[in-house]
Amino acid sequence: MILRATSVVMAILAIALLYMGAQLVAAGGSPAYSIIALVLLATAVLLFLKKKSALTLYAVLMWGILIWIVYEVGFDKWQWIPPWRPVRPLGSLAGLALGRSPAVSGAGT
């Protein structure tokens, strides 16, 4: 139950981020938020399907965001907060939910 709810929230966030990222690209900005949104949406789909690869994809996304942040703003950690804020808590929740899911962990067999 919590796994599906997390994936739905993640998908809604991804769609909103994709919309805003598309607006940013249309205004001549960076396509980074659109790429993040697409990967987040793919993660939400994998999470909904109870695939462990969702966590791997999410980890790759987090590393990609970290590299992008360092490229954009350098090592001023206060400027790291806005790009991290929408995606970091979802990963923690997804990891907890996926790890406890009997369909994935094999606990029910």
Side-chain angles (χ1 to χ4, degrees):
M1 175 71 177
I2 190 76
L3 187 62
R4 301 248 172 159
T6 303
S7 65
V8 168
V9 169
M10 191 180 286
I12 291 170
L13 178 67
I15 291 168
L17 193 61
L18 184 61
Y19 174 73
M20 291 183 277
Q23 287 183 330
L24 184 63
V25 170
S30 171
Y33 283 105
S34 297
I35 294 167
I36 291 168
L38 290 173
V39 175
L40 193 61
L41 189 58
T43 303
V45 169
L46 289 172
L47 194 61
F48 190 81
L49 298 173
K50 297 181 181 180
K51 303 286 185 177
K52 278 194 172 184
S53 59
L55 295 180
T56 303
L57 184 59
Y58 195 83
V60 169
L61 172 67
M62 294 304 288
W63 278 107
I65 291 173
L66 180 63
I67 291 167
W68 169 65
I69 289 172
V70 170
Y71 174 75
E72 287 284 324
V73 299
F75 290 99
D76 183 11
K77 291 181 183 69
W78 284 108
Q79 292 183 26
W80 289 15
I81 295 171
W84 278 115
R85 185 172 288 154
V87 293
R88 194 184 66 181
L90 284 175
S92 301
L93 186 60
L96 289 172
L98 194 58
R100 296 183 54 92
S101 175
V104 175
S105 64
T109 58

